[in-house]
Amino acid sequence: MKNSNALSLVLVIGIFVVIGCSCPRLNELGQRPTGTSSTPSNTPTVTTTTSSPTTGSSKSGLSMEKYNQLKNGMNYKQVAEVLGSEGTETMSSGEGKYKVTSYKWEGEEYQFITVVFMGDKMTSKVQANLK
């Protein structure tokens, strides 16, 4: 039951990450001034990062063929090798084997692949506009 709840949590977080990363207005709302916060030490921390558009060269090379090669259970290094580059970390929460992290790879014309890892294993993937 706990594994089922953890997997459900990972999927929900992954969906929110994808929605948040693909909606510019939500990104603006999520930006707050940096400073110190008083988080109790026993409370998990959540770290999110947003990527800014790149100028000059684009991150091309994303395809449905590469996306279909991504399988649950792969580690980050294997995913990065399939996609041909390092991803941008978009979210991280938890610790150890319960740490949930998501990465995003962006391409041309609003193409992207987002992958969610629990521990060091891929648990879900989402894509948009791949050919």
Side-chain angles (χ1 to χ4, degrees):
M1 185 76 174
K2 287 185 180 182
N3 287 338
S4 175
N5 288 338
L7 183 57
S8 296
L9 176 63
V10 168
L11 292 175
V12 168
I13 289 171
I15 291 169
F16 282 122
V17 167
V18 170
I19 292 170
C21 291
S22 59
C23 182
R25 180 68 181 134
L26 288 177
N27 284 337
E28 291 172 13
L29 293 174
Q31 294 177 351
R32 298 182 184 170
T34 57
T36 59
S37 64
S38 57
T39 304
S41 61
N42 62 348
T43 304
T45 58
V46 175
T47 306
T48 59
T49 57
T50 57
S51 60
S52 59
T54 57
T55 56
S57 64
S58 66
K59 299 178 183 177
S60 61
L62 297 183
S63 67
M64 187 59 79
E65 180 182 345
K66 288 181 180 180
Y67 177 80
N68 289 333
Q69 293 176 27
L70 303 177
K71 304 295 180 199
N72 285 348
M74 294 174 82
N75 63 36
Y76 173 81
K77 183 179 177 182
Q78 293 169 319
V79 171
E81 285 176 7
V82 168
L83 297 179
S85 67
E86 298 287 319
T88 302
E89 184 177 301
T90 57
M91 186 275 308
S92 179
S93 177
E95 296 178 19
K97 69 179 184 177
Y98 299 108
K99 182 174 183 177
V100 177
T101 309
S102 69
Y103 292 88
K104 185 176 184 179
W105 285 260
E106 296 182 88
E108 299 172 336
E109 299 178 10
Y110 307 104
Q111 294 177 329
F112 71 85
I113 295 174
T114 298
V115 179
V116 177
F117 296 88
M118 184 162 198
D120 189 34
K121 303 293 180 189
M122 183 179 123
T123 57
S124 64
K125 62 182 180 177
V126 178
Q127 63 85 21
N129 300 318
L130 298 182
K131 296 176 183 171

